[in-house]
Amino acid sequence: MEFVIRVRNSGNVLANSVRVSDIFPSQLQYVSGSTTVDGVYFGDGITTSNIYLGGMNVNQNKVVRFRALVENNSQFNSGFTLLTNRARVTADNTDSVDDTAFVNVNRGEVLGVTSLYIEKFGRNISRGETNNRTTVSASANQT
């Protein structure tokens, strides 16, 4: 699988010494040599310490990509396991920013074992919504 981190300096001054790190759960393994920044291969280190992007001008963007391998079945219970992957961007002259991505791992079921799966959706009938969604907005007294 591939993770993408988009870094943007949305401030009004140069961001000094920008660094990016990523914290993997134990069930993911970083694929050595897979990190790129803006399409150019970059040194490893994003999951062990950080990678250094340097200064970023106002409104400058950088795209960091890297790959991970999901560990073998012995690391998971049967059914679904939700893994949380956390990225952090820091700079010398601003606060750190964190963001997360989630990986849902499905370990195969054993034959003859009952397994249930549910997805829940909703829609606001009062607003005339016709599509089901995972997030719904409603005001008081709406159906």
Side-chain angles (χ1 to χ4, degrees), residues 72-110:
N72 65 45
N73 277 343
S74 66
Q75 301 293 313
F76 302 96
N77 294 323
S78 292
F80 290 94
T81 302
L82 184 65
L83 304 178
T84 303
N85 173 248
R86 182 174 311 279
R88 173 171 283 176
V89 177
T90 59
D92 288 349
N93 56 333
T94 190
D95 294 332
S96 297
V97 178
D98 291 354
D99 201 1
T100 54
F102 301 95
V103 178
N104 201 0
V105 179
N106 181 10
R107 180 177 176 193
E109 302 296 325
V110 178

Side-chain angles (χ1 to χ4, degrees), residues 30-142:
Y30 172 76
V31 175
S32 181
S34 67
T35 300
T36 64
V37 176
D38 293 337
V40 177
Y41 283 98
F42 212 82
D44 292 333
I46 192 161
T47 61
T48 56
S49 56
N50 62 55
I51 59 173
Y52 181 76
L53 301 181
M56 289 184 65
N57 293 316
V58 174
N59 293 321
Q60 184 178 3
N61 298 294
K62 292 192 181 261
V63 177
V64 179
R65 295 177 187 270
F66 55 95
R67 295 187 178 163
L69 175 70
V70 178
E71 290 287 352
N72 65 45
N73 277 343
S74 66
Q75 301 293 313
F76 302 96
N77 294 323
S78 292
F80 290 94
T81 302
L82 184 65
L83 304 178
T84 303
N85 173 248
R86 182 174 311 279
R88 173 171 283 176
V89 177
T90 59
D92 288 349
N93 56 333
T94 190
D95 294 332
S96 297
V97 178
D98 291 354
D99 201 1
T100 54
F102 301 95
V103 178
N104 201 0
V105 179
N106 181 10
R107 180 177 176 193
E109 302 296 325
V110 178
L111 289 177
V113 175
T114 301
S115 177
L116 299 175
Y117 177 73
I118 186 171
E119 286 184 290
K120 188 170 184 177
F121 299 94
R123 62 188 169 123
N124 186 322
I125 297 169
S126 295
R127 290 186 182 170
E129 293 177 356
T130 57
N131 294 329
N132 290 321
R133 301 175 188 178
T134 57
T135 303
V136 179
S137 298
S139 300
N141 298 317
Q142 287 187 334

